[in-house]
Amino acid sequence: MNQHTFKCNVSVLKSLPNLYGPIRDIKSDKSSSNIEKWVKKTTDNPFQCIEIKKIPAYMTSFRNYLFCLTENASHGILNSDDKKVLLVFTVSASNDFELASNTKCPIKNVQNIAVNANFFVVSYINLDSKTSKKLNLKPSGVVLFPRSLATIDFNSPCQLNIGSSENFIYPIGVALNNDYIFVCDKNLKTVFKINFQNRSIEANYCIPEGEPYKISINDNYLVLTDIGLHRISVHSISNLNIINHLTIQQPDENGPYGIYVTNDNIIFFKNYKSSQLVVLDIYLNNQTVFQKISKGIEDFTVLECVQQVLVVGVFDKNSSKLVCYSS
């Protein structure tokens, strides 16, 4: 596969009269009532706070399993050179959290994690030569590890590539379902949709003038943050065509940051670096800030099982905890 296959032709895109085309309507759903319940939660105190010893740097979930990749802190600063520890919690029907496993992750300089029923996925950059040789991985890329419930087999990595001679440069965002894996590469300025079975690229979305960052998916949509354009965009999951977008006002020079879209089309995103968690609907309306979450948000995710449980990883004043809200 040559470079042209997966990269956008910037000159052609710039010549188009309107890069994004007309904004299309999103299919009717029940997001109006769904957003109302979460807007009400934004003024409540969390129902639970779980103290953990390390910084909850990266978080993802699958059904009632919570995956939290933690890092050490040196004088309050994340130490990206340390090996990470993966904490896996299970959540009961009554929202009780139980630590199911505690495993060292061999990958340093992690950028994002994601999970489905069978795999735990890590995107990374600048992998050290020792680990690269041991696991037979490229210096930067995306790697899949087999998963069974709370157990991750870190000894059986599978490298994901985007062509026979091309590789990811700065894979900052990753998401997956049973059939596809989606990767956002900040340097290539592209989101890729890759078939799990044959590893072919079935769609891509390129933002030559932006700086794409984090992604999240549900059955119908992919949502994307762009820290260069200060924007959130909603895309069709089938072909990655843009459906809608919203510019986010903030004092930072970059942002918004992390993002999550639920199965019932509610969007959560982190704004103003690490000081705000915001909820809004799939139409990109009804922005509301969670008022009871302290500064120092590292990452967050939503468990979607008996009910939705929002879990926010916070590191503030040398204290690390998981802050939990339920729907």
Side-chain angles (χ1 to χ4, degrees), residues 243-282:
I243 298 172
N244 201 358
H245 63 82
L246 174 70
T247 299
I248 304 297
Q249 302 296 327
Q250 75 259 298
D252 293 334
E253 62 180 13
N254 289 321
Y257 298 86
I259 195 163
Y260 186 97
V261 59
T262 66
N263 292 332
D264 57 354
N265 297 329
I266 303 301
I267 297 173
F268 298 86
F269 72 91
K270 184 175 73 170
N271 201 28
Y272 300 173
K273 289 190 175 175
S274 61
S275 63
Q276 284 189 345
L277 185 68
V278 184
V279 62
L280 72 165
D281 60 37
I282 197 69

Side-chain angles (χ1 to χ4, degrees), residues 1-3 6 138 161-168:
M1 182 179 297
N2 58 36
Q3 191 174 14
F6 66 90
K138 296 181 179 180
N161 297 315
I162 50 177
S164 58
S165 61
E166 302 289 347
N167 192 38
F168 298 107

Side-chain angles (χ1 to χ4, degrees), residues 202-312:
E202 295 203 357
N204 61 52
Y205 176 76
C206 185
I207 316 100
E209 80 288 17
E211 192 172 351
Y213 201 64
K214 299 295 185 181
I215 56 176
S216 179
I217 62 171
N218 64 16
D219 289 342
N220 298 308
Y221 306 112
L222 177 144
V223 292
L224 166 70
T225 59
D226 191 311
I227 62 175
L229 297 176
H230 314 296
R231 192 178 71 178
I232 289 173
S233 54
V234 179
H235 303 254
S236 165
I237 199 168
S238 61
N239 54 21
L240 300 186
N241 287 345
I242 192 166
I243 298 172
N244 201 358
H245 63 82
L246 174 70
T247 299
I248 304 297
Q249 302 296 327
Q250 75 259 298
D252 293 334
E253 62 180 13
N254 289 321
Y257 298 86
I259 195 163
Y260 186 97
V261 59
T262 66
N263 292 332
D264 57 354
N265 297 329
I266 303 301
I267 297 173
F268 298 86
F269 72 91
K270 184 175 73 170
N271 201 28
Y272 300 173
K273 289 190 175 175
S274 61
S275 63
Q276 284 189 345
L277 185 68
V278 184
V279 62
L280 72 165
D281 60 37
I282 197 69
Y283 306 101
L284 306 181
N285 297 322
N286 300 301
Q287 288 187 64
T288 310
V289 177
F290 280 80
Q291 300 177 16
K292 302 295 184 178
I293 301 178
S294 61
K295 293 183 178 180
I297 297 172
E298 296 295 332
D299 204 0
F300 61 93
T301 190
V302 178
L303 289 89
E304 304 190 64
C305 35
V306 176
Q307 57 182 318
Q308 291 177 337
V309 179
L310 169 67
V311 184
V312 184

Side-chain angles (χ1 to χ4, degrees), residues 38-44 279 288-292 325:
W38 277 112
V39 167
K40 292 178 180 178
K41 294 288 183 180
T42 60
T43 58
D44 293 346
V279 62
T288 310
V289 177
F290 280 80
Q291 300 177 16
K292 302 295 184 178
Y325 288 83

Side-chain angles (χ1 to χ4, degrees), residues 66-82:
L66 169 67
F67 298 80
C68 179
L69 195 61
T70 64
E71 293 185 339
N72 291 321
S74 177
H75 305 293
I77 300 174
L78 284 176
N79 187 346
S80 61
D81 291 332
D82 282 343

Side-chain angles (χ1 to χ4, degrees), residues 109-177:
N109 290 319
V110 171
Q111 299 301 301
N112 207 199
I113 60 175
V115 67
N116 70 2
N118 300 309
F119 294 100
F120 178 77
V121 179
V122 178
S123 65
Y124 64 92
I125 60 171
N126 302 330
L127 189 65
D128 63 283
S129 58
K130 181 179 178 180
T131 305
S132 178
K133 184 177 180 179
K134 179 181 178 181
L135 297 180
N136 192 27
L137 296 176
K138 296 181 179 180
S140 296
V142 177
V143 57
L144 291 76
F145 297 99
R147 171 203 171 221
S148 177
L149 301 177
T151 302
I152 310 299
D153 183 2
F154 285 117
N155 294 315
S156 302
C158 178
Q159 184 91 61
L160 179 72
N161 297 315
I162 50 177
S164 58
S165 61
E166 302 289 347
N167 192 38
F168 298 107
I169 301 174
Y170 205 124
I172 192 75
V174 63
L176 71 160
N177 54 29

Side-chain angles (χ1 to χ4, degrees), residues 40-68:
K40 292 178 180 178
K41 294 288 183 180
T42 60
T43 58
D44 293 346
N45 289 314
F47 78 86
Q48 187 175 4
C49 291
I50 304 170
E51 297 290 335
I52 59 176
K53 294 182 179 180
K54 294 188 176 184
I55 297 174
Y58 305 95
M59 300 175 67
T60 189
S61 59
F62 183 79
R63 295 176 182 165
N64 66 319
Y65 286 86
L66 169 67
F67 298 80
C68 179

